[in-house]
Amino acid sequence: MAGKDTGFSLAQSMSSTVHRREPVLLDESSIASSGSMLSVAEVHEALEQAWNDIRTGRALGAKSVLSLPEDEFWRETGHQARRGEFSGERLGWKLSCLYGANSHFAGVKVIGANAFNRLLGLPRSRSTYILMEKFSMQPLAIIDATSLSAARTGAYASQVLRLCAIEHDRLCVFLFGAGPIARAILASLADRAATRIARVYVRARRFEGAKALQASLSMTLPFELVAVNDNDFLAEADFVITATNSDRPVFHDHELRRDTSLLHLGGDEVPVETLRRILRQGQVGCDDLATVSKRNSQSLALQFSRAGSSLEALGPHLGILELSKTSNWHLQPGVPLSVTCVGLPVLDLYVVAAMFQKYLTRTAD
């Protein structure tokens, strides 16, 4: 529940584990077999505490990314002949390090990613989390956090939907993307907004991907899920979510209703015309100005850096709001909204800590 000090309860339950000589190693199979994977509701609960601690200064974090040159990948791996299969898509070949700390714990998430992995039968990205006791900085657990990482990103969908000043229910949602983040988005919306949503259209780079997602989830979701192969239904959408690996906008501004709300979780997917229009006529926000600006990989930040400035410098003067500062955005009904979220590093600490607490409880005997 909101306000629950999950870090403190975890510290109490772990009093005998802080001085372990070796950290606990938890891969996906051991997490599953111990019954320790968090439910969607448990992820949301952990994140509510995280956001409260971020806004009150009790939790902080940062992110470093080493992006490797795509030309080097194609040249050195000898896969030049397959480069055309990734036209219009970022490889996202990178090594990322996300680190954070709260009152009791610290942690580091290491991510290795490359879109080419799908041709090798591998996940696009894998996340490994090292959970540490804060004061000694000794590792308590080394955890495969790939699924948890997707869940914390997907949870932005229901959080931002709550901000939208949409006065009616039976909403129509349009989702770009059909990968693990898209699955987590649908799970988040099903858990927190089931009664508000009538239909979700899903479009992927490959129609087969959208159809596969529809086939695997349709019977489990409380709303209709429809795979589409174009943007014809985009004009129906009250809420649009972009969660792709595209290196260019996935829609044109004229395809949106003027009052549509937008959540942007991917790369350079949103037209500059859309962002400029919403800056003039509505409200633009992000999870954290400094973090989104520094990462400089999404449409909002790129709009400023391409003009020789920065989102961090100009954002406050333009009234761009931050989830890291407040959730009380006081939006007016009918006003368009665009929110860009890069994924705050400290959020991972809270979901991993909650999962580890569940693991300790399940294995206490």
Side-chain angles (χ1 to χ4, degrees):
M1 67 185 68
K4 179 180 177 183
D5 192 342
T6 55
F8 182 66
S9 62
L10 180 55
Q12 290 177 316
S13 68
M14 289 173 44
S15 58
S16 63
T17 70
V18 170
H19 301 294
R20 286 180 183 268
R21 289 184 178 273
E22 298 295 334
V24 175
L25 301 178
L26 295 176
D27 60 14
E28 286 189 344
S29 61
S30 58
I31 293 170
S33 63
S34 63
S36 304
M37 180 54 69
L38 299 183
S39 67
V40 180
E42 288 171 328
V43 169
H44 284 137
E45 181 179 331
L47 291 175
E48 286 175 7
Q49 181 63 48
W51 283 109
N52 181 67
D53 288 354
I54 290 168
R55 290 166 186 148
T56 55
R58 294 196 295 267
L60 67 160
K63 180 175 183 177
S64 297
V65 179
L66 175 63
S67 294
L68 300 171
E70 294 191 10
D71 286 344
E72 177 183 332
F73 173 83
W74 296 115
R75 184 176 63 253
E76 295 191 2
T77 60
H79 289 300
Q80 285 281 7
R82 309 200 71 166
R83 189 166 189 168
E85 298 178 45
F86 294 84
S87 176
E89 180 180 5
R90 299 175 302 141
L91 281 183
W93 185 32
K94 60 187 177 181
L95 176 66
S96 304
C97 178
L98 290 74
Y99 38 96
N102 63 12
S103 299
H104 305 285
F105 299 97
V108 179
K109 182 172 78 169
V110 179
I111 312 169
N114 191 336
F116 189 85
N117 287 350
R118 69 169 176 262
L119 301 185
L120 305 175
L122 298 171
R124 176 183 174 274
S125 67
R126 293 292 296 267
S127 298
T128 303
Y129 202 94
I130 305 172
L131 180 67
M132 294 174 278
E133 191 277 324
K134 177 181 178 180
F135 299 104
S136 67
M137 285 295 177
Q138 295 301 296
L140 300 167
I142 300 173
I143 298 167
D144 185 334
T146 305
S147 297
L148 280 175
S149 181
R152 71 87 156 140
T153 302
Y156 275 109
S158 58
Q159 180 181 23
V160 171
L161 181 57
R162 288 200 303 267
L163 295 173
C164 299
I166 303 172
E167 295 186 299
H168 61 276
D169 286 333
R170 311 304 296 164
L171 304 178
C172 176
V173 178
F174 199 107
L175 170 61
F176 289 93
I181 300 300
R183 288 179 175 271
I185 287 168
L186 292 169
S188 176
L189 293 175
D191 184 77
R192 290 297 175 99
T195 60
R196 298 195 63 195
I197 297 173
R199 181 180 301 109
V200 176
Y201 293 109
V202 58
R203 184 182 180 192
R205 178 177 300 278
R206 298 162 189 82
F207 185 52
E208 295 78 8
K211 290 291 289 183
L213 185 67
Q214 179 186 26
S216 65
L217 294 181
S218 283
M219 300 302 294
T220 66
L221 294 172
F223 40 73
E224 184 181 8
L225 184 63
V226 181
V228 297
N229 200 26
D230 52 40
N231 289 352
D232 287 351
F233 291 101
L234 192 58
E236 295 184 12
D238 302 287
F239 188 40
V240 175
I241 306 170
T242 64
T244 79
N245 199 39
S246 178
D247 64 357
R248 63 195 67 175
V250 293
F251 59 85
H252 298 288
D253 187 53
H254 68 80
E255 295 178 304
L256 295 176
R257 283 203 334 246
R258 299 299 87 176
D259 62 344
T260 295
S261 295
L262 174 69
L263 169 61
H264 175 208
L265 294 172
D268 190 11
E269 304 166 309
V270 180
V272 66
E273 295 84 2
T274 299
L275 292 171
R276 289 174 179 172
R277 173 177 60 82
I278 297 179
L279 272 170
R280 294 192 308 268
Q281 302 173 0
Q283 182 64 62
V284 172
C286 63
D287 46 0
D288 183 75
L289 279 171
T291 306
V292 175
S293 182
K294 180 180 179 181
R295 182 67 187 96
N296 197 38
S297 64
Q298 295 165 298
S299 301
L300 180 61
L302 289 168
Q303 174 181 249
F304 293 93
S305 64
R306 286 166 176 162
S309 184
S310 75
L311 172 64
E312 186 174 11
L314 294 181
H317 303 288
L318 295 171
I320 295 177
L321 299 175
E322 300 173 84
L323 283 170
S324 60
K325 301 297 188 293
T326 180
S327 61
N328 298 318
W329 286 13
H330 304 296
L331 303 180
Q332 297 298 314
V335 170
L337 171 69
S338 177
V339 182
T340 297
C341 296
V342 72
L344 299 192
V346 78
L347 299 179
D348 295 284
L349 174 63
Y350 282 77
V351 293
V352 168
M355 190 280 290
F356 191 51
Q357 179 182 21
K358 189 174 183 178
Y359 169 80
L360 291 176
T361 300
R362 292 295 178 94
T363 59
D365 296 333

